[in-house]
Amino acid sequence: MQHTHVKSNHISGQKSSGSTIFAQPTGSLVLSSHEQSSQSEPTQLTVADTVVKMLEDLGVRHAFGVSGGAIASLWASLEHSVIEVLHFRHETGAGFAAIESYFANNRPVVVFTTTGPGITNMLTGLFAARWEGAKVIFLSPATSAPQRGRWAFQETSSYTMPSELFCNSGSLFHYATSIESGEELPEIARRLAAGLARPGGFVAHLSVPTTIQSSLLKASLPRVTFSQTLTTAGEDAIAKSVQLLSEGPFAIWVGFGARGAAEEIRQLAERTGSAVMSSPRGKGIFPENHPQYLGVTGFGGHNSVVKYMQDISPGRILVLGTRLGEFTSFWSPAMVPKKGFVHVDIDPEVPGTAYPSVETFSIQSDVQVFVKALLKYFPNRPGNCPVLPNPQRVPLLPQAEGPVRPDVLMDTIQRVFVEKSDAVVMTEAGNSFAWRTHTLRFTKPGRYRVSTGFGSMGHAATGILGAALVQNNKAVAILGDGAMLMNSEVSTAVKYQIPAVWIVLNDSRYNMCTQGMALLGFKGVDTQMSPVDFVAIARGMGADGIRVESETDLQAVLEKALASKIPFVVDVIIDPTQTAPFGSRIQSLIEQGAKETNK
């Protein structure tokens, strides 16, 4: 047996520019190759069969995509494997579903397309996977060598597409290669195993020319397995963190990257009396009904966070697993503590980036491992916690007349889907995101998902299929009518009987654009859409649904959606005049130059 060891040593020092101090991790990755006995007769497998077997061994159990003639051999091999293959109506929707299936069960997932527009249609989903930190392997065909440059149908080669799509790592793929021979597969298997074992996300692309897919392997492929050691900070970094955090009261800022450390973060907060705030993606990691919870920061966030920073203002903030990007912080100076940040993230490039001029002690580590180490230095007793501002909300009483107010809809979703079920709740970019972030309350991690990085419309509408499928449970998308028209995959949910629910905020317009443009001072901008009956569309595809035009009907309809055994659309006619709780989004846009000027 052969072993390859990749090891990083602990290094600590001062960053060459700015004021961020880096404490890098120790960790190791072990890859093992198991060759078949030389006495055994090798099985004659095609390259396509071998690629699929390699993916099975790496833990892949689901593949999402849209097939075509150029990928016929790979498609057939997938269909005859243990991997469940799901055909979608659009490649982008397949990509979003793949991302959410990964976050639902932490298994690497495959997406697949045919040549040409199949690949370009998948790019949005792949960029989202990279931004979200998912582990996704993209399988696509390419035009075979003898036909390249001759205007083959949907030609896919360096003559017609950028070469970085096929063989270069960079801002989209962590690893990409074009397979031109079966002899390359052992090295490809090793690189995929190493990538999947790395902390954080991993997006790879295997481009397989049509002719190569059906070619026979000359030798058996060695089996590649891997083990993962979590990235951890050294003892000197832990000790320095303890020293900095012990100098006075500190707050904790929790992001999506801390989702595996919910219990440890709660213990740390209670032992130290620290106030806790979360990014929009971090909702529910720290219980939102806890007396030490300040609220959500950024887009759709709470004034209680701003009040805390103004009135109490901690000496430092311990940042756990968030990039502190625009939708989390708006880069606001009001969110900067007096003595700076202690910032923990699995990605060493994250700390110090959002606030480059602020003193930051940076630690590359798995958040759970770091907080567990930190707990050893704090006594197991309740901390001295001041009275903290908390998000306050008084639910509104339903009215029998008029369109549905968005905040009343959110109150009903809270009662039915959040408190009476364990359904995953997702929301789209736009007003639905602002209303949901500001209004709904979660007390456990894993119940809520949103994309605040790439933020593509259609992510929640189709992502719920992946989450519901792998968990065999309800998943709910809260979205606007614009996103529902863009990409919803209701037909796919019907085919595979996936228990998805779409709650559509229907106001016949892109209302975030309407309200945002008005607040920025722009006049006469057309964001209207023709009225749409989403229930009629859903029923036409084999799903069920109900239109809601009165607040008094909401409870019964949402309960019916929750109980439904088939995909269900709730088409809610909402009041378009209520301004969504954007937080400081408009001010951030103005500071970036998006404002009406006198001409």
Side-chain angles (χ1 to χ4, degrees), residues 166-209:
F166 306 106
C167 54
N168 293 338
S169 60
S171 58
L172 177 53
F173 298 114
H174 295 94
Y175 171 62
T177 190
S178 178
I179 302 175
E180 302 295 337
S181 167
E183 295 176 355
E184 298 175 81
L185 290 179
E187 176 60 15
I188 291 170
R190 189 192 71 81
R191 288 178 180 265
L192 289 178
L196 294 174
R198 58 178 279 173
F202 178 69
V203 181
H205 182 195
L206 303 185
S207 174
V208 193

Side-chain angles (χ1 to χ4, degrees), residues 432-444:
S432 56
F433 168 30
W435 284 115
R436 193 228 49 81
T437 299
H438 191 79
T439 307
L440 299 187
R441 301 286 187 271
F442 296 88
T443 58
K444 294 180 181 178

Side-chain angles (χ1 to χ4, degrees), residues 88 174 247 379 389 397:
F88 275 60
H174 295 94
E247 291 176 356
L397 294 176

Side-chain angles (χ1 to χ4, degrees), residues 44 94 99 112 128 157 165 266 271 290 313 315 343 423 546 553 583:
Q44 285 290 289
I99 293 168
F112 62 91
S157 70
L165 284 180
R266 185 189 61 78
R271 291 186 190 186
H290 196 286
S313 187
H343 197 152
I546 298 177
D553 296 332

